[in-house]
Amino acid sequence: MGRTWPKILLICAVALGACAVAALIILAVTGDDGGDGGEGSEETRPATRQPTTAPPDRLGPAPASVPSVREWDPVRGPGWQPTDDSRVVAPEGSPLADEARLLARELDLGYASGTAGPSDVLLALDPDGGIPREGYELRSRDGLVRITGSTDAGVFYGTRTLLQAVRGEGRMADGTIRDEPARAQRGFMLDIARKHYSAEWIKDRVREMGDLKLNQLQLHLSDDQAFRIESDRHPEIVSDPHLTKAQVREIIDLAASRHITVIPEIDSPGHLGAVLEAEPGFQLRDAAGEPVPGAIDISDRAAGRYVDDLLDEYADLFPGPWFHLGGDEYSALFEADPEAAFPGLAAAARSRFGSGADVEDLATAWLNARAKTVRAHDKTPQVWNDGMHEGGAVQPSRPREVTYWTGKEIGARPPADYLREDWEVVNMNDEYLYYVLGEPNEFTYPTGERIYEEWTPAVVRGTEPLPDALSGPDRILGGRFAVWGDIADAQTTAQVADGIRLPLAATAQKLWNPTRPDLTWQQFTSLVDRVATRP
């Protein structure tokens, strides 16, 4: 008996040691240290709740966000995660209450005004702190996140970065982000004339755009096929289905909450088929007296007043600082000899502007008159580049901005021409940024990969960038990804939403930061799937 007792003690000691080793192995496998574990790690728990064990101090990665942040300065620390006690706080009386309430809803947190405490998110304005207008600074330290901007738009973009970081990683690493967009205009254009999109579909895109830090939504309201917005002054031109003004106001209000400006477009003097169906007396006729589809008679002053009446009506509905006037693809200018094909237009040009004037001059004067109408509402006109004609007796009026989409159409010139004439340009390069339903006229659906790997705001026509001297942010103001409904039934609205999701994200990335991305395309698409809004 006495000799077996030490053996028993030895066996028990060995067993206890084995249990201790097993416990350590279980801890390592389950990731209870708060590190980047696999299935079962704290990163897979709901993003709005903190684990029972605090993560260790460490240098965290750059936040997972689309577009990616431009400057990240990490510090050692556990990072920030939402807890049951976390709040989103705006100072008392701050104009940031709406941004704070939105982020609180999205993170399932409380909202408060006043002073922030531990585990809170504080939103703040500092107009004198040297932060660019749409830029922001985000500091995560000691259990508190502070997002500061010189404007509420900048603060809003900081909240998008925090939201996506929590979606993607479950936490915001400790450190400081300093971020700002490379271009002032970052947008999406939707042709609602050829194809009807419901108000709810458009609102879903607005939410998606807001998270991508896009700030413009251009709505192409009218074309040959339809006029799809309610009109009180001219109900005879409105097609069914269409958006009511109440629905448009809802879209505008939602967009404003995401710091997105909605830009209306009424295209003229071409693409007016729906208007001319109701008002055939304004339709252009050629030398043989035959009507020209979609083209209004730009020599008819009453026709100009009719279009001005529409511009006045919608200038009051859309509060933003821009109005797009179209100007592209006027059929009279497609002729080899417009003066011979349309002698009435030629005579009017000579009568008004002198013996050397031609149909191009009359078309320029038409757009100048429409530009004057919207400027009276304190709006900057935007026009398509092929509506801006070179030389002539009549010059395009200023100020206006040129949305450059093509160098292929008759009358279109290389983008450098417009820039050398000191026009400000918005890049809508149809090589990369045109999603044309049905892929007519040699268009193909653009891929996000091509935009992500090849396109920048300096690539305005074709695939080659303009020189730096012509392509800075003061010359090329930004860009927009466009959806056109040429063959409206080629895709359902759900298919359009799915088809543009990655191209729109890639466009947002390159407008925010046009440098070569750090992530591969596959890594980027994986990131979009993790962090971007999918209504």
Side-chain angles (χ1 to χ4, degrees), residues 58-62 72 74-77 173-174:
R58 60 182 180 183
L59 287 175
W72 165 239
V75 297
R76 190 167 295 280
D174 279 338

Side-chain angles (χ1 to χ4, degrees), residues 25-42:
I25 291 172
I26 290 169
L27 286 172
V29 171
T30 57
D32 280 355
D33 68 346
D36 295 325
E39 184 176 351
S41 72
E42 296 303 338

Side-chain angles (χ1 to χ4, degrees), residues 135-149:
Y136 65 93
E137 181 180 271
L138 187 156
R139 290 180 179 270
S140 174
R141 194 72 173 132
D142 300 324
L144 176 71
V145 173
R146 179 186 178 98
I147 302 173
T148 307

